[in-house]
């Protein structure tokens, strides 16, 4: 019986990355993007003179929901990570 080729090289251990405190705040950049899209919608409605009346109730509900998500995201982003002492 021939010996098996065993060129086994262990993979480097998965070390945990250094925690970047600004990493969680990057998720908050989604909110200005949505705001810019809403402003572009209003600008297009003013420029091309189409009515926003059918969607204004849903849009206001969406903006209220977005505000609540923003408040939750601020608390989540500023909370210390597990095992971290502040």
């Amino acid at each position: 019986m021939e010996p098996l080729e065993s060129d086994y090289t262990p993979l480097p251990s998965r070390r945990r990355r250094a925690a970047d405190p600004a990493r969680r705040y990057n998720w908050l950049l989604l909110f200005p993007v949505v705001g810019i899209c809403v402003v572009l919608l209003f600008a297009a409605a003013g420029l091309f003179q189409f009515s926003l009346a059918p969607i204004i109730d849903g849009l206001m509900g969406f903006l209220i929901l977005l505000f609540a998500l923003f408040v939750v995201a601020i608390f989540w982003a500023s909370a210390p990570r597990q095992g971290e002492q502040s």
Side-chain angles (χ1 to χ4, degrees), residues 9-85:
T9 55
L11 296 174
S13 64
R14 287 188 160 205
R15 288 180 293 176
R16 193 170 173 166
R17 290 192 278 199
D20 183 15
R23 192 165 168 218
R24 284 186 176 184
Y25 286 103
N26 289 339
W27 282 97
L28 297 178
L29 292 174
L30 292 174
F31 294 102
V33 170
V34 172
I36 289 170
C37 290
V38 170
V39 167
L40 288 175
L41 174 70
F42 287 145
L47 185 65
F48 300 115
Q49 296 293 308
F50 60 85
S51 177
L52 291 177
I55 64 166
I56 203 71
D57 287 336
L59 186 63
M60 289 301 113
F62 175 70
L63 290 177
I64 291 171
L65 176 69
L66 202 64
F67 176 72
L69 286 174
F70 182 71
V71 170
V72 169
I74 287 283
F75 280 106
W76 171 76
S78 61
R81 296 186 113 186
Q82 218 173 23
E84 231 180 65
Q85 297 295 325

